[in-house]
Amino acid sequence: MNRLRGNESTDARSVTWPVHLAPSGSIDAPLAASGPWIVAINGVPKARVSADVANVLRAVDGKRNPAQVAHFLGSPWTAQDVMGIVRQLAPTGIFDGGAQPSAMRRVQFRPPLTLQFTLFNPAPFLQFFRPMVVAMARPGMAVVGLMLLLGGLAGAFIAGPSMWRVLSTPLPVEAYLYVVAAMFVSTLLHELGHGMALTYFGGTPRRIGIMLFYLSPAFFCDVTDGWRLSSRKQRVLVALAGPLVHVGLGSLVLAGQALLPESPVKDAAVLYGVICYAVAVLNLFPFIKLDGYVALMSAVDIPHLRKKSLEALTDVVSFHLLGSRRTLRTNGLLPWFGLASFVAGIALMAIGYQRLMPIFLQLGHVGHLVVVAVLCLLLVVALRGVIRFLRFAATNGSPRWRRILVVLLGLLVGGALLVVIPVRAVTVAGYTYRDGQLTIVAPVEGPHGAISAGDRVTLQSQGMIIHENLGRAAVGDQPPSTSMAPLDTLVPIALAGDTLPAMAFGAKLESGTNLSSSGRAEVTSQQETSLGEWLWTSITASPLWPGQAGPTADSTKGQL
């Protein structure tokens, strides 16, 4: 007789009988005879169970005790069997004392750092287009897809030098508008691709919307109903349908751009095609909750793989570091996957912060308030993680003295790193080069206060994606002066005649040939400070700090 499938949590939780299913809980039937039953809360799958366990859950009605449930089910069920199943599934929240079902909220927070906003239910729309998907799924279409991919790769090869120019130099504003509009549509099609694949296999997409994923905006489509599919291959295909949409769109556009004359439209097509390929590759990264992770989780048939791997990592680290008991019997690779997932999550948050925060820092007090709010959120998430780790260790027998010692050592090491790690402030600015005269320019209300005589300068191209190193220089001794600088010294947008007020610093060119008339400049300070001092200087330079009238060095970044 089948019991649990081995993928539910086995945490102990006291259960007071009689129990019954929560109004917000459901036992969802499989999509095929051999598929799993799903324990769900408000439509969100929490565990997979066998048909036998589903029968037990449906027999738990809040009136019968374990012996009565076993008698109702008949031989070979026993009261111990029933109590064991209830104890194992209690952590899912499927049993409840009378709470009402939660309304489907449009705004939902999903740990560790995802905020979702539901737009609509895509099921009726996708069901309407299912016949088209059936036609596209015929075996002969694989040949068409392969030819499309080869055509895209050929188009990328033909683009050659123009592709490098598009990625590393400013483009007209209309080219960016084309790309932004196309990426909006293609990202939506990416998520609809997941939904169409699930609909094709008989599942039901629940909702589609937009989200902030590790501080970056994106679309999402809820295809958790895919866990009711009996085939691993089908679940993998549902996960990979989105990246395949981006590959197909990128290939189509890269192949077509070879027929276009030189124009902003052609530049936009090249940039869009490259971004589509990059999005598809990024989505295959398995250590973040992206499509590659879902595909891997489906292939190895371990639901909640990331959560379980992080729990396994916590178990191992707590055992070795804090002396707690081992509580999980895990595969040897699971803690390592958890470690990779933990590091990848931190890295992705850092990348999102580095990309978005400098933009907000240029928006005065409002922008700085956003930065402070995000930093506070990140600190709260980190603190909660540490507290959960210590509580887990305490629950599993870690001595208090050892936990206190590890916390004190951690604080000591963190403080030491703030003192000993050297940092040189790096200011992102621009440059102009005319008639052999090199000038470093920075916005009047930007980080020009961090630029000093003798600072080292790396001259670069001002591209949307690539910043090619073109030469090196040093800031001169002359005091800065106010001037007007071309727009493309500060942003990768080519607008003839458009200029911005700037502070101009004379500079001496040390190396570099074939410099463009304007571009990007990274100014590295000569003064080396500690990481702690640099952080304190950045904080006190904020306009939110008492006595500060406006942003000064807040757009600088640290370089180790």
Side-chain angles (χ1 to χ4, degrees):
M1 173 169 38
N2 291 330
R3 297 290 193 261
L4 299 181
R5 289 293 184 88
N7 57 316
E8 295 83 5
S9 173
T10 57
D11 297 339
R13 174 177 289 189
S14 61
V15 178
T16 302
W17 285 83
V19 298
H20 60 84
L21 296 184
S24 57
S26 62
I27 311 298
D28 299 336
L31 295 175
S34 59
W37 291 71
I38 301 296
V39 173
I41 304 295
N42 289 315
V44 179
K46 296 296 182 180
R48 292 188 304 168
V49 299
S50 66
D52 290 331
V53 173
N55 288 333
V56 173
L57 296 176
R58 289 184 294 183
V60 175
D61 60 1
K63 300 178 181 179
R64 302 184 180 101
N65 61 33
Q68 291 171 327
V69 172
H71 178 74
F72 174 80
L73 294 172
S75 179
W77 287 103
T78 67
Q80 288 73 22
D81 292 333
V82 174
M83 287 189 294
I85 289 174
V86 170
R87 278 196 302 269
Q88 285 188 290
L89 288 176
T92 67
I94 193 65
F95 306 112
D96 193 89
Q100 296 302 310
S102 300
M104 182 59 71
R105 293 174 297 174
R106 282 190 175 271
V107 180
Q108 299 183 29
F109 178 77
R110 297 292 176 87
L113 201 63
T114 301
L115 187 65
Q116 298 179 341
F117 179 79
T118 300
L119 294 177
F120 61 92
N121 178 6
F125 172 79
L126 295 176
Q127 193 64 41
F128 177 80
F129 283 98
R130 188 176 186 277
M132 181 184 70
V133 179
V134 172
M136 294 175 60
R138 294 174 181 172
M141 293 300 294
V143 178
V144 176
L146 179 60
M147 293 179 62
L148 180 61
L149 175 61
L150 294 176
L153 295 176
F157 178 79
I158 293 173
S162 64
M163 178 178 293
W164 182 264
R165 175 186 59 78
V166 167
L167 300 180
S168 62
T169 60
L171 298 180
V173 66
E174 56 264 36
Y176 291 126
L177 294 177
Y178 296 148
V179 172
V180 169
M183 286 305 302
F184 179 87
V185 174
S186 59
T187 305
L188 180 59
L189 291 177
H190 173 116
E191 297 304 324
L192 289 175
H194 293 301
M196 284 186 175
L198 178 59
T199 303
Y200 171 75
F201 291 123
T204 303
R206 302 178 188 274
R207 56 200 179 95
I208 196 168
I210 56 177
M211 65 179 176
L212 279 178
F213 183 75
Y214 288 90
L215 308 180
S216 298
F219 280 99
F220 74 91
C221 183
D222 186 347
V223 291
T224 51
D225 197 50
W227 282 110
R228 297 168 61 203
L229 298 172
S230 58
S231 168
R232 297 188 190 186
K233 180 180 178 181
Q234 291 176 349
R235 295 198 295 269
V236 170
L237 289 175
V238 170
L240 296 181
L244 287 176
V245 169
H246 263 111
V247 170
L249 293 173
S251 298
L252 182 65
V253 171
L254 283 174
Q257 62 82 30
L259 306 177
L260 297 176
E262 293 295 331
S263 65
V265 174
K266 182 181 179 70
D267 291 344
V270 172
L271 180 59
Y272 171 75
V274 172
I275 292 176
C276 279
Y277 280 173
V279 168
V281 172
L282 176 63
N283 268 272
L284 297 179
F285 188 63
F287 302 116
I288 298 294
K289 288 185 177 181
L290 297 170
D291 299 331
Y293 162 76
V294 177
L296 175 64
M297 181 172 60
S298 301
V300 300
D301 201 29
I302 303 179
H304 307 295
L305 173 62
R306 192 173 188 272
K307 177 184 177 182
K308 292 178 179 178
S309 66
L310 290 173
E311 290 174 349
L313 176 65
T314 300
D315 190 54
V316 171
V317 173
S318 178
F319 170 74
H320 290 288
L321 188 64
L322 299 177
S324 62
R325 295 186 303 272
R326 293 295 299 272
T327 61
L328 301 175
R329 295 181 180 180
T330 58
N331 184 295
L333 295 178
L334 201 57
W336 291 106
F337 187 87
L339 178 61
S341 299
F342 177 76
V343 173
I346 293 177
L348 192 60
M349 283 189 285
I351 292 172
Y353 179 86
Q354 185 182 31
R355 287 180 55 192
L356 297 178
M357 291 308 105
I359 298 175
F360 285 103
L361 289 174
Q362 298 291 339
L363 301 179
H365 288 74
V366 175
H368 282 254
L369 284 173
V370 173
V371 173
V372 170
V374 171
L375 284 176
C376 290
L377 175 62
L378 295 177
L379 288 174
V380 169
V381 170
L383 184 60
R384 288 182 60 186
V386 171
I387 293 174
R388 283 196 301 265
F389 174 68
L390 294 175
R391 284 179 176 172
F392 174 87
T395 302
N396 292 286
S398 170
R400 178 178 294 181
W401 68 265
R402 192 159 176 170
R403 283 177 280 135
I404 294 175
L405 178 62
V406 168
V407 171
L408 292 176
L409 288 176
L411 293 174
L412 181 62
V413 170
L417 292 176
L418 290 176
V419 173
V420 302
I421 294 180
V423 173
R424 292 181 184 271
V426 177
T427 302
V428 176
Y431 79 85
T432 60
Y433 185 64
R434 295 186 179 89
D435 301 325
Q437 180 65 42
L438 178 66
T439 304
I440 306 301
V441 296
V444 172
E445 296 186 357
H448 59 81
I451 300 177
S452 303
D455 287 348
R456 314 306 300 174
V457 183
T458 301
L459 306 175
Q460 301 174 330
S461 62
Q462 184 69 283
M464 174 60 71
I465 296 178
I466 296 176
H467 301 304
E468 181 185 6
N469 289 341
L470 304 176
R472 295 191 177 278
V475 178
D477 297 331
Q478 302 88 350
S481 60
T482 56
S483 179
M484 300 297 291
L487 179 64
D488 60 6
T489 59
L490 304 176
V491 292
I493 298 177
L495 283 178
D498 277 27
T499 58
L500 293 172
M503 297 299 296
F505 298 78
K508 179 181 179 182
L509 183 65
E510 296 180 344
S511 65
T513 56
N514 298 322
L515 288 179
S516 58
S517 60
S518 59
R520 187 174 186 268
E522 287 192 353
V523 184
T524 304
S525 175
Q526 292 186 100
Q527 299 179 357
E528 185 177 273
T529 62
S530 67
L531 177 60
E533 184 179 354
W534 174 76
L535 289 173
W536 177 252
T537 302
S538 299
I539 293 171
T540 55
S542 168
L544 300 180
W545 190 261
Q548 290 291 342
T552 54
D554 47 30
S555 296
T556 64
K557 60 181 180 179
Q559 180 179 24
L560 305 184

